[in-house]
Amino acid sequence: MSGLQKMVVNFVFSTQMVEEVLSKNKVRWSVAGWFHGPNIERPHPYIEPVKPLSTATDIQTEEVKKWLNVSYLDIESALKHIQSQFEEESEIQLENFFLDNKFEEISHALQSDSVVWTKRGPPNKRNLYVADEGNLPKVLQDCLHFMKSEFMFYLLEHMTGLNLTEKTQGSKPKKAKSDSQLDGDTKQNIGEPSCRAELRKWCHGSYTLAHDTDTEAHDYALDVSIFTHCNDWKECYGGFISYIANGEDEELLTVNPSDNSLSLVYRDHETLRFTKHINHLITEIDTPEFYEIYVVFYE
């Protein structure tokens, strides 16, 4: 502000981008205050339009077996244990979800030049990159198809106890199918349960903020994430997902990105989520970014 000439009844106002303090021996200072005066008419806050939802898509069992770690097909043992833990804590992180060869294909495709990434804002809510679904390599198209398939709805129902398949009279969950029943077409008559999916890229400067006008935060939902390119990730880089109670400072849960791990978190309408700002420390690693396959399911 040096060099400005002082004038009577003159008000000077400036804006600047707030960036990271990279020096180890300096801190940021700020001055805050209020202007007092008569009330003015304020415009109504802008509410973002709700993104479209989709119901479950058809998939053949042969396709399922190309993607999924077979241990997660064990209805009687593995899934019952997962559901028991999830019902106790409302969250779980499952390792090695995809088969290794499919996970490698996905990881390679996400870094290819054929994926078009679009920066998503506005800055007062988020700063991240989302893939254009109209121009994806086939393996990524197939991955999204699998994540939105009727089998995935069925699998998540048995992992969580939520009613994600066709609602029966009295809203009772369906009886679990045996492995032999999974052979052939897994088509079901999907009713109200739906989902929304997208591919995300997180890099230096990426973040999301919790805000009151979040249209996705007003419903009960199951957040599902699978991460890639985060083997060397450390919590000090940021990029972890925090869940907080609306109106409270206490953190309820933290989800750290982990390669090929399926993260499941059930949240209610009083729970907000945000992704911690990714700071400059990420530039010290070989791959200064990670990717997320994000799907939100609704009963």
Side-chain angles (χ1 to χ4, degrees):
M1 299 294 286
S2 61
L4 290 174
Q5 184 177 0
K6 297 180 180 178
M7 297 178 64
V8 178
V9 197
N10 187 49
F11 176 70
V12 177
F13 180 76
S14 68
T15 61
Q16 62 273 336
M17 175 69 73
V18 178
E19 297 184 351
E20 295 177 68
V21 177
L22 303 181
S23 173
K24 294 183 179 180
N25 55 7
K26 293 182 179 180
V27 296
R28 175 182 290 118
W29 291 84
S30 63
V31 178
W34 293 94
F35 291 102
H36 297 274
N39 292 331
I40 61 174
E41 185 177 350
R42 299 178 181 273
H44 294 290
Y46 172 71
I47 306 297
E48 292 182 298
V50 179
K51 303 181 186 72
L53 295 170
S54 61
T55 53
T57 57
D58 296 342
I59 194 170
Q60 298 289 329
T61 301
E62 289 72 18
E63 285 298 312
V64 171
K65 292 178 179 179
K66 292 178 182 179
W67 286 90
L68 189 64
N69 185 328
V70 294
S71 62
Y72 294 119
L73 290 173
D74 187 350
I75 300 292
E76 297 301 323
S77 179
L79 296 190
K80 283 188 176 181
H81 175 73
I82 291 170
Q83 183 180 133
S84 176
Q85 183 176 340
F86 184 86
E87 289 177 343
E88 180 72 23
E89 302 178 5
S90 293
E91 63 89 16
I92 196 169
Q93 201 157 10
L94 306 172
E95 297 180 348
N96 302 316
F97 182 70
F98 286 134
L99 293 174
D100 290 343
N101 63 318
K102 281 297 183 183
F103 183 71
E104 290 177 6
E105 288 182 40
I106 294 170
S107 300
H108 179 73
L110 285 168
Q111 286 191 310
S112 68
D113 294 335
S114 58
V115 180
V116 177
W117 297 99
T118 302
K119 191 172 185 179
R120 177 178 291 178
N124 65 324
K125 295 180 180 179
R126 64 187 71 85
N127 179 35
L128 70 151
Y129 292 88
V130 178
D132 179 2
E133 292 187 27
N135 189 28
L136 290 176
K138 187 176 185 307
V139 66
L140 296 182
Q141 295 179 26
D142 293 343
C143 177
L144 288 178
H145 175 73
F146 173 80
M147 295 299 294
K148 295 186 291 185
S149 71
E150 51 201 3
F151 176 82
M152 194 66 184
F153 277 75
Y154 170 80
L155 181 68
L156 291 174
E157 177 174 276
H158 288 278
M159 285 182 169
T160 64
L162 300 175
N163 189 11
L164 294 173
T165 57
E166 180 189 6
K167 292 192 175 183
T168 58
Q169 187 175 4
S171 297
K172 294 180 181 179
K174 287 185 173 183
K175 183 180 179 181
K177 294 183 179 180
S178 65
D179 287 347
S180 60
Q181 289 176 295
L182 292 176
D183 291 335
D185 194 344
T186 60
K187 180 175 175 57
Q188 298 177 35
N189 182 20
I190 301 299
E192 293 183 5
S194 54
C195 70
R196 182 186 301 113
E198 61 186 17
L199 302 175
R200 297 173 168 181
K201 180 170 75 170
W202 302 90
C203 51
H204 181 208
S206 294
Y207 62 86
T208 64
L209 300 177
H211 53 91
D212 295 335
T213 59
D214 186 355
T215 54
E216 292 188 1
H218 299 157
D219 296 306
Y220 291 82
L222 177 67
D223 290 329
V224 178
S225 295
I226 301 177
F227 303 97
T228 74
H229 299 89
C230 48
N231 263 343
D232 299 325
W233 202 263
K234 298 179 182 178
E235 190 169 332
C236 61
Y237 300 155
F240 53 85
I241 305 170
S242 291
Y243 288 82
I244 59 175
N246 192 8
E248 302 289 339
D249 294 331
E250 182 181 356
E251 188 175 57
L252 303 175
L253 171 68
T254 298
V255 176
N256 288 298
S258 177
D259 265 3
N260 201 13
S261 288
L262 179 76
S263 169
L264 305 178
V265 178
Y266 185 66
R267 54 180 166 85
D268 60 22
H269 62 284
E270 291 295 328
T271 303
L272 302 176
R273 55 172 270 158
F274 67 91
T275 300
K276 181 70 173 179
H277 174 265
I278 299 176
N279 59 56
H280 71 284
L281 295 177
I282 190 181
T283 60
E284 300 174 359
I285 62 178
D286 293 337
T287 305
E289 61 199 23
F290 71 89
Y291 301 84
E292 177 189 10
I293 303 165
Y294 174 66
V295 192
V296 57
F297 289 84
Y298 300 95
E299 291 184 277

